[in-house]
Amino acid sequence: MSELRRAAERVLLGNWTGRSTVPSHSLYPHQWSWDSAFIAIGLRHLSPRRAQVELESLFGAQWQDGRIPHISFSPSVPRDAYFPGPDFWQATTRGGVESSGIVQPPVHALAVWLTHQADEAESISRGFLARMYPKLVAWHTYLRERRDLGGRGLVAVIHPWESGMDNSPAWDEALARVEPAPLHSFTRRDTDHASDDDRPTDLDYGRYVQLAATYRDHGYDDARTPFAFALEDPCFNALLIASEHALASIADALSLDRSRHVTAAAELTSALTTLFHDGIFRPRDLRAGQPRAEDEQTTAGEQAAGRLVEVDTVAGLVPLIVPELPQAKELLATARGPKFRLGEVRMVPSYDLTGPAFEPGRYWRGPSWFNTAWLLHRGLVQQGGHQAEELADALRAELLELAGSTGFAEYVEPFTGEARGARDFSWTAALALDLLRLSRP
């Protein structure tokens, strides 16, 4: 375990750029939003101050409307090293930081709270919580006020990249309605560093580019962009709930009123139950059965109907992290059942093992990921009970073993544990470091 800890620390030190940590120097050479949140959770054990700086750096790219962009571009990296790069997004924050225009799951308040707890004296002396709190409130306000496209109180993602689970089969039907950007109009960089067999297809990538270009060309305005892709994602909303609970704790620490965050968490939890069906949470496609957005302008109200997507992914299990979740027992039964076989296969597959689109090695279409395993571990510990605790201990041991044996891979094949994607991946090292510090055997 001490050897694993030192190896994880080496990865985080090697990927540190001075103000933030890249997920991977080759595949992801800038700062990514939810990556930095997970990275800070591990960095707090290595250096609480560095974890604080990681999060402060990310929030330095916050937009005036409160959104946290999914990429904060580093000026020291060649502009064409990653696509879509800063020249594509054409977005510069008021602080002069070039960024993307879309967002990623809001795990940041949880990361801020855990980072504060790692060294409260250091946090207080630097005014860390006091400075981060209003930024987090603005971030959550943006999501709840600008992205409730269905009118049910849930946040909608408007691009697969916003879910963090880019290539999930849950998005296939919605993406099929999108006319892809011509392949000759862009040059992919991801396949320079990873196998084509692991990455999204050119067709899907063309659709990703088109969705991003449409949002850009409408000034990243959520009110007037004709979204061809708009889904209420259970993972995204569950993380928002967890972060609202974290904000309540932060408010307590600052002697502020926590009630707004408790109320928000309760409202979101109630709304989240509308996504529960057949023992799992599923995304709701707000554009299902409606005209293509590029053919006809639609409003949020016209998009409100939608329907649940009958595709089961790990995103539907992540709500286990929601405190006092009414569906926890049913969700746990689904996790242990034939679709995910929790406790039998390596960590937690990203997609239904029995599903028609299952691919054990392709990005989010079957492989097991370390961040979702960490989230489920946290959920299992939180739910409590003998069965959940046994599963949590086994999942922790599995994550640590695979992190070390794969060289901190980005993700793994769910049956063999074979390393896939990038190596020396930052959140894999960070989350392994976090679980190493747990007191449970």
Side-chain angles (χ1 to χ4, degrees), residues 240-289:
L240 182 57
I241 294 168
S243 279
E244 283 291 351
H245 283 289
L247 270 182
S249 298
I250 293 170
D252 277 344
L254 295 171
S255 299
L256 300 173
D257 182 12
R258 76 191 323 259
S259 61
R260 63 187 292 189
H261 306 301
V262 174
T263 299
E267 290 173 351
L268 284 160
T269 301
S270 177
L272 185 67
T273 64
T274 66
L275 301 182
F276 192 75
H277 185 70
D278 284 346
I280 194 168
F281 290 87
R282 289 170 171 167
R284 180 182 285 114
D285 185 352
L286 299 176
R287 294 284 291 125

Side-chain angles (χ1 to χ4, degrees), residues 12-50:
L12 294 176
L13 292 171
N15 288 344
W16 176 253
T17 65
R19 289 286 299 174
S20 64
T21 310
V22 296
S24 161
H25 281 292
S26 59
L27 196 54
Y28 308 103
H30 300 283
Q31 185 177 23
W32 261 257
S33 174
W34 78 327
D35 289 73
S36 274
F38 287 123
I39 289 165
I41 288 169
L43 268 180
R44 68 192 173 118
H45 302 298
L46 177 59
S47 167
R49 176 172 290 197
R50 182 170 289 189

Side-chain angles (χ1 to χ4, degrees), residues 186-417:
F186 61 92
T187 301
R188 295 179 65 171
R189 294 298 183 193
D190 58 320
T191 50
D192 294 344
H193 308 287
S195 167
D196 289 357
D197 293 337
D198 287 355
R199 302 296 296 172
T201 64
D202 285 343
L203 177 61
D204 282 338
Y205 218 87
R207 289 166 170 154
Y208 301 156
V209 172
Q210 184 58 56
L211 287 172
T214 299
Y215 196 28
R216 177 200 63 201
D217 295 345
H218 286 81
Y220 302 111
D221 188 330
D222 297 306
R224 69 185 187 92
T225 301
F227 294 122
F229 182 101
L231 293 97
E232 295 166 345
D233 174 41
C235 174
F236 195 105
N237 283 278
L239 291 176
L240 182 57
I241 294 168
S243 279
E244 283 291 351
H245 283 289
L247 270 182
S249 298
I250 293 170
D252 277 344
L254 295 171
S255 299
L256 300 173
D257 182 12
R258 76 191 323 259
S259 61
R260 63 187 292 189
H261 306 301
V262 174
T263 299
E267 290 173 351
L268 284 160
T269 301
S270 177
L272 185 67
T273 64
T274 66
L275 301 182
F276 192 75
H277 185 70
D278 284 346
I280 194 168
F281 290 87
R282 289 170 171 167
R284 180 182 285 114
D285 185 352
L286 299 176
R287 294 284 291 125
Q290 296 179 8
R292 290 188 180 203
E294 62 264 31
D295 297 333
E296 180 178 320
Q297 292 282 340
T298 57
T299 66
E302 290 172 330
Q303 293 178 350
R307 58 177 168 77
L308 296 185
V309 179
E310 295 185 8
V311 176
D312 297 331
T313 74
V314 70
L317 302 179
V318 171
L320 275 172
I321 68 167
V322 174
E324 300 179 4
L325 182 73
Q327 300 85 3
K329 286 186 177 180
E330 294 173 83
L331 203 55
L332 184 55
T334 299
R336 299 189 68 193
K339 293 181 178 181
F340 297 97
R341 294 173 58 185
L342 180 63
E344 298 178 31
V345 297
R346 311 311 302 265
M347 294 196 298
V348 190
S350 50
Y351 170 61
D352 178 359
L353 294 166
T354 68
F358 176 78
E359 295 183 70
R362 193 180 293 276
Y363 205 63
W364 290 110
R365 302 183 76 83
S368 296
W369 288 71
F370 290 88
N371 65 325
T372 50
W374 183 90
L375 290 170
L376 262 64
H377 174 271
R378 185 175 181 84
L380 290 166
V381 170
Q382 182 173 266
Q383 296 303 331
H386 179 68
Q387 181 187 76
E389 288 180 357
E390 281 192 342
L391 287 167
D393 288 344
L395 187 55
R396 172 181 179 268
E398 180 93 332
L399 188 153
L400 293 175
E401 188 272 316
L402 286 171
S405 65
T406 63
F408 303 99
E410 187 177 1
Y411 50 92
V412 302
E413 205 271 6
F415 293 114
T416 67

